Amino acid sequence: MVSVAEAADIIFSNLYKPAVESVPLQNSVNRVLAEKIIADRDFPPFDRVSMDGIAIQFRQWEIGQKEFVIEFTQAAGDEQKKLLNPEHCVEVMTGAMLPQQTDTVIRYEDLEITNKRARLKIEKLELGQNVHRKGLDCKQHDVLLTPGILLSPAEVALLASVGKIKVDVFQLPKTAIISSGDELVDVGVIPKAFQIRRSNTYAIEAAMHSMSWKATQFHFPDDKEILLNSLRTVLNNYDVLILSGGVSKGKFDYIPAVFEELGVRKLFHQVNQRPGKPFWFGASNEGKIIFALPGNPVSTYMCFYRYIKPWISKSMGIDVPGISATLSSDFSFAPTLTYFLQVAVKSELGKLSAYPEAGGGSGDFVNLKNVTGFLELPADQTAFSAGEIFPYFPFRNLV
Ligand code: AMP
Ligand code: MG
């Protein structure tokens, strides 16, 4: 048996080495960037008018001019024009180039315009106001984005701005999600009294969604021969296998033995944690990675977020920052196991407060609908006090 920290170390020292693929810009969100993105121009690329109104020479206002004849209009999308008479102004629109010989923009709200004459209604003016200066946000040739960024809509805007029709992103491993258990039937089936619908594979596939990680689902019975043959085929065809069920001490828990027969190296079996103690992890000589999680739904779920999600993130070079939250009420857990305490986290006065929602054990996945994630409570402590801070693993964003 290994500790949680040892299990994480072993998993994170067996990262997947992703290839790079090119995807259309519109499919790049939630993918991980695999190339450096350089600004092809200054941001903004010209002195950009940032308010609809008029552009003047500040100097004129300084020497007392309050009323300006409109010489012409500079719209967004027009080539840059030039103010000829410094006592005049130019009507300008947001997004337009600031006309030559002007330096300051006054918005319509601060003007009275009659008969092509604009009169200032305000007493204060600043040189350069309402002008978004060329290169203020970033300079041409600056590095805008580096590999290892999980692309959000904000980065998609940057990629679009620099003309990336196609984007290099890291390829995700070809992944199989496998459930096993003779009591499990598929979702579309009405279960008999002794059966349940399998939910773990769907939960895992759904959890992978936020990283655009796709998988194929399989289900095999608790039959050693069938498992041996089926898992051999899956192993040949997929890079990563995520299993749930069949790794405990039950008479029909064949998974560890089957992988051993298939020549997969066991890297650990059993982690000093609750839930999820029977977790088995291995790698094949061909570099295939196998996460065999215990089948209890809460165990499967927590192991995914504690180990597999950070594993895939690290594999693609994402910097995974640890999050912590403050326990909001006293809690005790006597066994010398790391305890993953289900909590509902709320943001309170700028800190994350974690309200225990312990639930009814690793089979009680109804409880998961009430929780936002779990706190990792260390094995060597039995009493946990309100106000103590622990690592927090979120399942969902706060709303
Ligand atoms: P096992 O790890 O195979 O001993 O399974 C532990 C418990 O989890 C049993 O009650 C199983 O019925 C349940 N279980 C296993 N796999 C799934 C699954 N895919 N969906 C829902 N429950 C499961
Ligand atoms: Mg089973």
Side-chain angles (χ1 to χ4, degrees):
M1 179 141 69
V2 294
S3 68
V4 167
E6 285 162 345
D9 273 355
I10 294 169
I11 290 170
F12 300 151
S13 48
N14 283 276
L15 296 179
Y16 169 73
K17 288 168 195 65
V20 172
E21 65 178 328
S22 189
V23 295
L25 174 65
Q26 279 138 299
N27 299 347
S28 66
V29 73
N30 294 336
R31 299 297 303 267
V32 180
L33 187 66
E35 60 174 321
K36 206 193 249 184
I37 301 295
I38 307 289
D40 61 336
R41 316 163 73 190
D42 286 350
F43 275 59
F46 50 82
D47 287 340
R48 184 184 72 92
V49 172
S50 63
M51 282 284 182
D52 299 320
I54 61 165
I56 63 162
Q57 263 187 27
F58 184 73
R59 176 85 193 111
Q60 291 304 121
W61 176 81
E62 260 188 337
I63 59 174
Q65 196 181 333
K66 295 283 186 301
E67 201 171 304
F68 297 81
V69 169
I70 297 171
E71 199 171 283
F72 59 88
T73 301
Q74 171 99 48
D78 284 348
E79 270 190 52
Q80 191 184 33
K81 301 177 191 171
K82 182 176 176 180
L83 180 71
L84 296 177
N85 183 342
E87 289 174 12
H88 290 176
C89 70
V90 181
E91 208 166 353
V92 288
M93 304 300 138
T94 303
M97 286 185 95
L98 186 70
Q100 279 180 48
Q101 299 301 325
T102 68
D103 52 25
T104 299
V105 170
I106 303 139
R107 53 184 199 154
Y108 280 133
E109 292 88 327
D110 298 331
L111 298 169
E112 228 169 56
I113 299 184
T114 40
N115 294 333
K116 294 255 163 217
R117 298 179 84 86
R119 205 175 54 76
L120 272 62
K121 293 195 290 184
I122 46 169
E123 297 304 322
K124 275 193 71 177
L125 211 60
E126 267 176 46
L127 173 64
Q129 70 175 36
N130 300 324
V131 178
H132 190 184
R133 285 282 164 208
K134 177 181 188 315
L136 182 73
D137 305 343
C138 140
K139 296 269 184 268
Q140 185 184 24
H141 305 311
D142 277 358
V143 176
L144 272 180
L145 301 171
T146 48
I149 292 176
L150 182 65
L151 296 171
S152 79
E155 286 83 34
V156 172
L158 292 179
L159 292 166
S161 291
V162 299
K164 295 294 294 183
I165 298 166
K166 299 203 106 197
V167 186
D168 280 355
V169 296
F170 288 118
Q171 214 167 46
L172 287 141
K174 201 174 166 206
T175 302
I177 307 174
I178 304 152
S179 57
S180 66
D182 288 347
E183 74 283 26
L184 302 172
V185 296
D186 207 351
V187 178
V189 173
I190 298 189
K192 301 205 172 78
F194 50 88
Q195 296 175 325
I196 57 164
R197 295 191 180 95
R198 56 175 171 273
S199 56
N200 290 350
T201 47
Y202 292 93
I204 295 169
E205 192 175 342
M208 290 161 68
H209 211 74
S210 66
M211 294 162 283
S212 305
W213 189 6
K214 306 246 170 16
T216 308
Q217 290 193 26
F218 296 90
H219 178 74
F220 303 130
D222 289 325
D223 178 302
K224 199 166 176 195
E225 276 313 301
I226 296 178
L227 281 169
L228 203 56
N229 291 324
S230 310
L231 289 177
R232 181 183 290 116
T233 309
V234 176
L235 207 49
N236 283 335
N237 292 316
Y238 291 84
D239 303 320
V240 174
L241 276 57
I242 302 174
L243 294 95
S244 85
V247 291
S248 306
K249 291 198 186 313
K251 208 169 161 186
F252 308 106
D253 290 336
Y254 296 123
I255 302 292
V258 165
F259 278 120
E260 204 167 307
E261 272 191 52
L262 292 173
V264 174
R265 263 176 302 126
K266 176 184 86 178
L267 296 172
F268 63 72
H269 188 192
Q270 296 201 326
V271 185
N272 191 41
Q273 64 183 28
R274 183 178 296 168
K277 187 171 165 195
F279 181 13
W280 187 99
F281 178 69
S284 78
N285 290 334
E286 296 76 38
K288 313 276 173 114
I289 300 291
I290 295 100
F291 298 92
L293 313 177
N296 267 308
V298 179
S299 312
T300 301
Y301 204 66
M302 288 189 167
C303 286
F304 181 88
Y305 284 98
R306 178 61 181 88
Y307 302 106
I308 302 180
K309 190 176 179 195
W311 173 84
I312 193 70
S313 300
K314 284 173 192 278
S315 292
M316 292 188 292
I318 298 177
D319 183 22
V320 185
I323 307 176
S324 36
T326 308
L327 188 62
S328 72
S329 55
D330 294 349
F331 186 80
S332 63
F333 181 73
T336 49
L337 297 164
T338 299
Y339 185 59
F340 297 153
L341 171 64
Q342 294 173 65
V343 291
V345 153
K346 293 182 187 141
S347 173
E348 289 173 345
L349 301 172
K351 68 170 193 189
L352 296 181
S353 303
Y355 291 82
E357 294 275 357
S362 58
D364 175 17
F365 61 113
V366 175
N367 194 61
L368 291 173
K369 70 185 168 62
N370 301 322
V371 308
T372 59
F374 67 85
L375 290 188
E376 185 171 305
L377 305 182
D380 57 4
Q381 198 177 331
T382 50
F384 305 90
S385 308
E388 281 191 86
I389 295 170
F390 298 102
Y392 170 61
F393 293 84
F395 301 148
R396 59 176 106 224
N397 295 329
L398 302 184
V399 282

